[in-house]
Amino acid sequence: PDTLTTRHNLAVAYDSAGHFDEAIELHERVLAEQERVLGPDHPDTLTTRHNLAVAYDSAGRFGEAIELYERVLADRVRVLGPDHPDTLTTRNNLAVAYHSVGRFGEAIELFERVLADRVRVLGPDHPDTLNARDNLALAYDSAGHLAEAIDAWEELLPDCQRVLGLEHPLTKQVEKNLEAARREMNQSTASSE
């Protein structure tokens, strides 16, 4: 198991460094070994399956990523429960993948569920909860619901500033997204007059 963990961590490092082919190949190999040694429902096996989906996603192989995220989500709900942080992470990443391929309605629905679950399980000020709020606002924006996106970012920004600080990357991202959305709203308002 320790050898498999080390190989898994190397695959994650490959993915983080942008070496997607190496990451995918190693994740696939580790996953096959973990399923054989630990079983398909072992938490480490589920983590590797999830991270393989992440690597597919990073490599732009969205169809494979979505298919694997859906499988991992069902397995994590069954094995770990619907409120386990790993289950919530997989649900969030599946929503991100839906968003990446333009399935905005499904992404919004999942992001809303992730947000509600993270508020309930982790609390409203947890960084993962704040991130879920930003993801939902991005999905609103992508789906053309600009007013909802602006409202969400206007509510989120002071919470990010208070909890994470003014210089945190998420705070800066929310500021940038809010500014861009307001600019877009002003342009569309001006062009319709």
Side-chain angles (χ1 to χ4, degrees):
D2 290 345
T3 304
L4 295 174
T5 298
T6 301
R7 282 192 193 131
H8 171 262
N9 291 342
L10 178 59
V12 170
Y14 280 148
D15 188 49
S16 296
H19 300 285
F20 306 129
D21 292 338
E22 293 95 334
I24 290 168
E25 181 181 327
L26 190 51
H27 275 308
E28 288 173 341
R29 207 169 89 218
V30 171
L31 180 58
E33 292 169 3
Q34 285 177 324
E35 287 176 341
R36 181 179 54 79
V37 173
L38 303 174
D41 289 341
H42 190 280
D44 289 351
T45 305
L46 297 177
T47 296
T48 299
R49 193 174 299 128
H50 171 89
N51 288 337
L52 175 57
V54 170
Y56 285 150
D57 202 352
S58 298
R61 293 167 60 174
F62 301 118
E64 291 165 285
I66 288 170
E67 184 178 317
L68 197 51
Y69 280 136
E70 289 172 342
R71 180 177 167 208
V72 174
L73 179 57
D75 291 343
R76 281 186 161 172
V77 166
R78 181 177 48 78
V79 174
L80 303 174
D83 291 338
H84 191 280
D86 290 348
T87 304
L88 298 180
T89 296
T90 299
R91 188 175 292 122
N92 180 75
N93 288 5
L94 175 58
V96 169
Y98 284 157
H99 182 262
S100 295
V101 298
R103 293 167 62 177
F104 302 128
E106 291 166 284
I108 289 170
E109 184 180 317
L110 269 185
F111 282 136
E112 288 173 343
R113 182 164 175 207
V114 168
L115 176 56
D117 291 343
R118 283 186 169 168
V119 167
R120 184 174 44 77
V121 174
L122 302 174
D125 289 341
H126 191 281
D128 288 348
T129 304
L130 298 176
N131 187 60
R133 291 171 63 188
D134 182 53
N135 285 342
L136 179 57
L138 283 168
Y140 286 151
D141 187 25
S142 297
H145 306 295
L146 194 56
E148 289 176 88
I150 290 171
D151 289 346
W153 280 319
E154 285 177 342
E155 291 176 14
L156 176 57
L157 183 58
D159 292 338
C160 286
Q161 291 169 334
R162 177 179 51 81
V163 174
L164 303 173
L166 299 176
E167 299 303 317
H168 190 277
L170 181 59
T171 304
K172 292 292 191 185
Q173 178 180 315
V174 170
E175 287 173 346
K176 181 180 148 200
N177 291 340
L178 177 57
E179 183 179 306
R182 285 176 174 162
R183 200 170 34 252
E184 184 180 343
M185 179 69 85
N186 290 337
Q187 288 170 352
S188 66
T189 302
S191 67
S192 67
E193 293 177 350

